[in-house]
Amino acid sequence: MTTIVLGIPSAFSAWGFEVVRRLVKASRPATELRLVDRYDQFDEDPDADVIVCSQFPSRSLREAAQKPRVRLVVFAADSLAAVSFQRRRQPKLVEALRTVGASAALISDCRPQKRALFLDAAGLTSAELATQLIADHIDCPIPADFAETLASLGPIPTEDATGSSLTEAEKGIIALVLDNATAHLRDAGVPLKSIWPHRVFFSGDRPNEEAPLVVDATGGSRVLYYGPYFHLSEGRWRAKLTVGFTKEAAGLPFKISAFGPEPLGEARLRPRQEGIFSAQFSFLVSEPERPVEFHIRTEEGAIEGRVALAQAELSHLGDKPPAD
């Protein structure tokens, strides 16, 4: 029997993975325990007794997770709590967002909503209850002396779901980027989408620095904004980028491209007057392990004019079309 245990990076999933490991070691010592990362190969053997833990399931593991005979356990996490936890390892907000978003995208591709045991720290009253739910789901009897082992692990981590270490602006960015993705894991009825505000993009004129809302288009043809290297679940996506132009920038041709890392899609925009405009195009994500990058660039030199990137809105349109 194969059991796959997944978790959004968080103190709760780290605790949960350890509970599973010790429970299986104590009651089913012959069971193989494995950790799988996003590029690891996993070959499912229906006759083997294996439990696999992953925060970033690889393609082969995601394919195995969709088989009816495979059991799933998912340690969920509120987006604020997950990012707060990840900031201890990656102090820059955009890097923590990228890590948590990658996990959510890859776990989403396992399509766990109907067949998984979902565990959320906020919905559990005790470590004993969490352990019992896990044991029942994976057919793993709890040894009589396991209470001592469980006590050594401590109580269920009480993560900061309010994000007290975050500014109000950071909380707003996290909600835009991740809330729908983490909610979609449990409920497929929640639209799978993400909004990337200008603050998660980088400045084309000052690489690796946060892009300002407004940039000067004066000068030669070049990339004004790029990034943010976030991950999207596999399938077809529509991108809608909202961009503002001053009257001096009217008539200047712009190209908006998506990469992942190969070219995914593009749109062109030539505003005829000052104002706020949007450019839309669709593209296919076939390798969710790889982040998506946008380029917003001028295609001609400009004497004057300013441009403002408000946001990029990403909406999932469905699974990728079948191969011919």
Side-chain angles (χ1 to χ4, degrees), residues 5-8 10 12-13 15-17 19-20 72-78 116-135 137-138 156 159 185-186:
V5 183
L6 306 170
I8 298 291
S10 63
F12 178 50
S13 69
W15 179 89
F17 283 5
V19 168
V20 170
L72 298 177
V73 177
V74 179
F75 292 99
D78 175 86
L117 169 66
F118 275 88
L119 296 173
D120 192 318
L124 295 167
T125 57
S126 67
E128 290 76 14
L129 174 60
T131 304
Q132 188 64 61
L133 291 171
I134 294 168
H137 191 71
I138 66 175
I156 294 174
E159 297 177 293
L185 292 179
R186 183 187 293 271

Side-chain angles (χ1 to χ4, degrees), residues 35 38 40-41 65 88-89 119 171 180 202 229 249 312 316:
L35 294 175
R38 69 190 74 184
D40 293 339
Q41 178 65 32
R88 302 172 201 167
R89 296 155 178 75
L119 296 173
K171 292 179 184 179
N180 278 72
F202 300 100
Y229 304 102
H316 192 255

Side-chain angles (χ1 to χ4, degrees), residues 2-324:
T2 297
T3 299
I4 297 175
V5 183
L6 306 170
I8 298 291
S10 63
F12 178 50
S13 69
W15 179 89
F17 283 5
E18 186 62 14
V19 168
V20 170
R21 187 186 73 81
R22 296 206 189 184
L23 178 62
V24 173
K25 184 178 179 181
S27 62
R28 283 166 39 191
T31 300
E32 179 188 2
L33 290 165
R34 292 181 58 182
L35 294 175
V36 170
D37 206 348
R38 69 190 74 184
Y39 294 114
D40 293 339
Q41 178 65 32
F42 174 73
D43 297 314
E44 197 234 345
D45 180 354
D47 297 323
D49 187 10
V50 58
I51 291 183
V52 184
C53 292
S54 181
Q55 292 181 329
F56 307 94
S58 64
R59 175 169 296 279
S60 55
L61 186 62
R62 299 197 303 274
E63 291 173 349
Q66 296 181 41
K67 297 178 180 179
R69 62 176 175 267
V70 173
R71 302 186 186 186
L72 298 177
V73 177
V74 179
F75 292 99
D78 175 86
S79 58
L80 286 180
V83 174
S84 295
F85 173 83
Q86 195 61 32
R87 286 284 290 275
R88 302 172 201 167
R89 296 155 178 75
Q90 296 174 296
K92 291 185 178 180
L93 178 64
V94 70
E95 293 178 353
L97 285 168
R98 187 175 300 131
T99 297
V100 175
S103 178
L106 295 173
I107 292 176
S108 176
D109 283 341
C110 294
R111 300 175 186 173
Q113 294 95 352
K114 295 182 179 179
R115 297 181 295 106
L117 169 66
F118 275 88
L119 296 173
D120 192 318
L124 295 167
T125 57
S126 67
E128 290 76 14
L129 174 60
T131 304
Q132 188 64 61
L133 291 171
I134 294 168
D136 290 345
H137 191 71
I138 66 175
D139 287 339
C140 193
I142 300 176
D145 59 350
F146 195 71
E148 183 176 344
T149 299
L150 195 59
S152 70
L153 296 177
I156 294 174
T158 54
E159 297 177 293
D160 183 12
T162 64
S164 61
S165 63
L166 303 165
T167 68
E168 289 303 313
E170 289 174 332
K171 292 179 184 179
I173 292 172
I174 294 167
L176 290 172
V177 175
L178 288 177
D179 272 6
N180 278 72
T182 54
H184 180 80
L185 292 179
R186 183 187 293 271
D187 182 0
V190 176
L192 186 54
K193 66 178 183 179
S194 183
I195 296 176
W196 301 348
H198 82 273
R199 282 194 57 190
V200 302
F201 286 85
F202 300 100
S203 169
D205 293 326
R206 297 186 300 277
N208 299 319
E209 291 188 19
E210 180 183 309
L213 174 61
V214 180
V215 298
D216 190 347
T218 304
S221 171
R222 68 191 190 281
V223 173
L224 302 180
Y225 300 90
Y226 72 97
Y229 304 102
F230 288 167
H231 295 255
L232 297 172
S233 297
E234 187 171 5
R236 295 178 294 112
W237 288 82
R238 180 180 63 243
K240 178 183 178 182
L241 283 85
T242 303
V243 188
F245 303 91
T246 63
K247 63 180 180 181
E248 295 82 8
L252 186 63
F254 287 83
K255 181 180 179 181
I256 300 171
S257 307
F259 302 89
E262 72 285 349
L264 298 176
E266 64 180 44
R268 285 180 164 80
L269 183 63
R270 186 190 291 265
R272 297 301 178 184
Q273 60 185 23
E274 65 178 317
I276 299 174
F277 302 87
S278 63
Q280 298 189 50
F281 61 99
S282 61
F283 58 91
L284 178 66
V285 173
S286 58
E287 296 182 80
E289 302 87 353
R290 300 181 181 275
V292 173
E293 174 191 10
F294 283 101
H295 285 182
I296 296 92
R297 64 174 299 138
T298 56
E299 293 203 277
E300 294 178 2
I303 299 175
E304 55 183 339
R306 294 190 298 168
V307 178
L309 172 64
Q311 64 181 31
E313 181 177 353
L314 290 304
S315 302
H316 192 255
L317 301 178
D319 296 333
K320 65 180 181 179
D324 294 333

